[in-house]
Amino acid sequence: MAQERESIHGQWSSRMAFILAATGSAVGLGNIWKFPYITGVNGGGAFVLVYLLCIAAIGIPIMIAEIMMGRRGRRSPINTLRYLAEEAGRHRGWQVMGWLGIVVGFLILSYYSVIAGWALAYVLRAMEGAFSGQSPEAVAGLFGQLVSTPELLLLWHTLFMVMTMWIVARGVRSGLEQAVRYMMPALFVLLLLLVGYAMNTGYFQQGLAFLFTPDFSKITPNGVLMAMGHSFFTLSLGMGAILVYGSYMPKGASIVKTTLVIALADTSVALLAGMAIFPIVFSYGLEPGAGPGLVFKTLPIAFGQMPGGALFGTFFFVLLVLAAWTSSISIAEPVVAWLVESHGLTRRHAAWWVGGGAWLLGIGSVLSFNLWSSEPYLLFGKTFFDLLDYLTSNILLPAGGLLVAIFAGWIMRRESVREELGLKDALLFRIWRFLVRFVAPVAVLFIFLHATEIIKFE
């Protein structure tokens, strides 16, 4: 019986441990670094509304499906999909979904580590008081100096990858679970304090208006695609992370309730980050569509002006590193688990092999911000980093989520799904099943078909 299966990697000690771990996977650079800048690039409120709709109608149903599939299979994504396909009497070829998730996660880890390295560098700068009394132009210059120096970026990229694999190598309870116990609550509290500061900038209302007042004339097909892609990126969907975390979930925990808590916490952090950042952007006359460097050009300005800013800034960037750390751990976990299960490697050896490969690929992203930032190193008009980010976030993650929805809604046996979800409310089960069978797949396909940028890379 499926319920008797146990993961060879261990299990979370409790439902709360799983919530903290999955929230740690979801809450990371995507919320604090990426969400504000792609919101700025896409005009604010209308993008936020589309993003929230994508979370509700697509992200949450697919997240429920991923956790359910993971707990049912109790293995890495590849082996879980093979087992579930066999249980349903379907072809083992469905395990290609697991391969897709592992490959996408590996690609994301390679550049995620580079961006997290920026946060590590800024911890040191904040401790040194480098932002004190600096003008917006001077702060932007500090960021430009960092990204234009490949040796520095490589150093921080290396350090962050070592940190990640050290935790992964320690296992589920000793490594993953212990890493998230205090990090997420601390980050949430600090964001609230930062929002409190933003309320006193004199531009808080303008920031809220930008974030929550829709102007649909600014929404483009590519903007809708980015909103959907980010809903997958921020919830860690389509890359096997949530599926493998679900495989460590205790049998008695409610998948639906747990998913709602995780999605609410993740979305709250993203919105709080926007509420903290955009008032600062407007108060200093900065451009909200500044791109990937937005967080590293705006928050240091606030830290440089506020009393105790050096200490406050240090804490913020430490916690930003911790948020990135918990997410990178979850991204690495699926491929590490597969290497242990299928190739007999020890967990430690598997972790360092994965980390070494992702580190090597990440050098391309390091060079994208300096030596490879112009022709002839561009492909489809994008740097190596931009291309990886675009392909994974806007194409491969939604494609993986689409396959999850199809598999959970159409391939798995209805009885197996209902048993694993444990839904006593027939109406609630029918609503979820309708969303995962029809709404999520149709929405993903519709957005793909109308996003001409997928083909043109414009």
Side-chain angles (χ1 to χ4, degrees):
M1 294 291 291
Q3 59 265 35
E4 296 173 355
R5 289 170 62 85
E6 294 183 3
S7 171
I8 64 172
H9 308 285
Q11 184 173 289
W12 307 116
S13 62
S14 64
R15 173 175 176 267
M16 181 53 65
F18 172 71
I19 289 176
L20 287 173
T23 302
S25 173
V27 174
L29 293 179
N31 304 75
I32 304 167
W33 162 66
K34 191 172 184 180
F35 175 75
Y37 94 70
I38 62 174
T39 298
V41 167
N42 288 282
F47 176 84
V48 172
L49 181 59
V50 173
Y51 164 72
L52 293 176
L53 289 174
C54 288
I55 289 285
I58 305 175
I60 290 176
I62 291 179
M63 191 176 201
I64 291 172
E66 277 209 40
I67 295 173
M68 178 272 296
M69 290 163 59
R71 193 167 71 176
R72 188 79 178 175
R74 296 290 189 190
R75 292 293 185 270
S76 66
I78 295 172
N79 293 328
T80 283
L81 266 296
R82 183 171 66 241
Y83 166 76
L84 294 179
E86 290 174 348
E87 182 187 51
R90 301 303 181 100
H91 194 276
R92 293 174 60 180
W94 278 99
Q95 67 184 326
V96 72
M97 289 171 53
W99 280 106
L100 175 62
I102 280 180
V103 170
V104 174
F106 183 81
L107 295 177
I108 291 175
L109 179 63
S110 73
Y111 69 78
Y112 198 91
S113 175
V114 175
I115 305 304
W118 298 356
L120 276 175
Y122 268 59
V123 170
L124 184 60
R125 288 185 171 183
M127 291 175 64
E128 295 172 342
F131 310 129
S132 298
Q134 297 286 355
S135 67
E137 293 76 16
V139 170
L142 288 172
F143 177 74
Q145 183 184 37
L146 171 65
V147 298
S148 64
T149 310
E151 295 84 2
L152 275 178
L153 291 186
L154 184 60
L155 170 66
W156 295 115
H157 166 50
T158 303
L159 179 57
F160 185 81
M161 190 65 74
V162 169
M163 289 166 51
T164 296
M165 294 307 156
W166 177 70
I167 293 292
V168 174
R170 291 172 59 87
V172 175
R173 290 199 184 182
S174 299
L176 278 60
E177 185 172 320
Q178 292 301 317
V180 300
R181 190 174 298 276
Y182 305 106
M183 296 178 188
M184 291 303 102
L187 179 64
F188 202 92
V189 169
L190 195 61
L191 272 175
L192 288 175
L193 293 175
L194 198 60
V195 170
Y197 171 81
M199 293 175 69
N200 296 308
T201 61
Y203 288 82
F204 191 66
Q205 292 299 324
Q206 185 176 348
L208 289 182
F210 179 78
L211 198 57
F212 296 113
T213 303
D215 180 357
F216 291 103
S217 66
K218 296 182 179 180
I219 280 291
T220 64
N222 196 49
V224 176
L225 178 68
M226 289 182 72
M228 181 185 67
H230 190 65
S231 72
F232 282 84
F233 184 92
T234 190
L235 291 176
S236 298
L237 303 178
M239 64 180 80
I242 292 298
L243 192 150
V244 79
Y245 271 21
S247 73
Y248 309 148
M249 186 180 185
K251 180 62 181 176
S254 169
I255 292 176
V256 175
K257 291 179 181 178
T258 300
T259 300
L260 293 176
V261 171
I262 295 166
L264 178 61
D266 177 74
T267 305
S268 297
V269 170
L271 295 177
L272 284 171
M275 291 165 64
I277 291 170
F278 288 118
I280 299 171
V281 169
F282 294 125
S283 66
Y284 288 93
L286 300 175
E287 174 55 51
L294 183 65
V295 166
F296 298 92
K297 295 176 183 177
T298 56
L299 293 185
I301 296 171
F303 299 142
Q305 304 297 326
M306 67 175 65
L311 180 62
F312 197 70
T314 300
F315 284 155
F316 176 81
F317 284 110
V318 165
L319 288 169
L320 181 57
V321 168
L322 295 179
W325 201 1
T326 56
S327 292
S328 65
I329 289 165
S330 73
I331 296 171
E333 180 65 16
V335 63
V336 170
W338 175 72
L339 286 173
V340 171
E341 292 171 7
S342 300
H343 292 276
L345 295 182
T346 65
R347 188 173 183 86
R348 180 179 301 174
H349 288 154
W352 293 115
W353 273 110
V354 172
W359 175 85
L360 193 62
L361 184 61
I363 294 175
S365 291
V366 166
L367 297 177
S368 294
F369 296 97
N370 36 76
L371 301 180
W372 290 0
S373 61
S374 58
E375 295 288 358
Y377 300 104
L378 303 183
L379 187 62
F380 301 109
K382 296 181 182 292
T383 65
F384 183 84
F385 164 79
D386 288 333
L387 189 61
L388 273 188
D389 182 36
Y390 188 94
L391 286 174
T392 55
S393 298
N394 299 334
I395 299 177
L396 297 179
L397 288 183
L402 172 63
L403 290 174
V404 168
I406 292 173
F407 189 85
W410 295 95
I411 303 301
M412 289 185 68
R413 293 189 296 116
R414 179 189 177 99
E415 297 76 14
S416 299
V417 172
R418 186 155 188 172
E419 175 190 337
E420 202 60 49
L421 290 179
L423 288 177
K424 297 179 181 179
D425 187 333
L427 178 60
L428 187 59
F429 178 74
R430 287 199 297 269
I431 291 173
W432 169 81
R433 191 167 167 83
F434 176 78
L435 288 173
V436 84
R437 296 185 90 198
F438 299 105
V439 176
V442 170
V444 173
L445 287 173
F446 179 82
I447 294 171
F448 271 167
L449 291 174
H450 286 74
T452 56
E453 286 80 359
I454 292 179
I455 304 299
K456 298 179 181 179
F457 285 93
E458 295 175 349

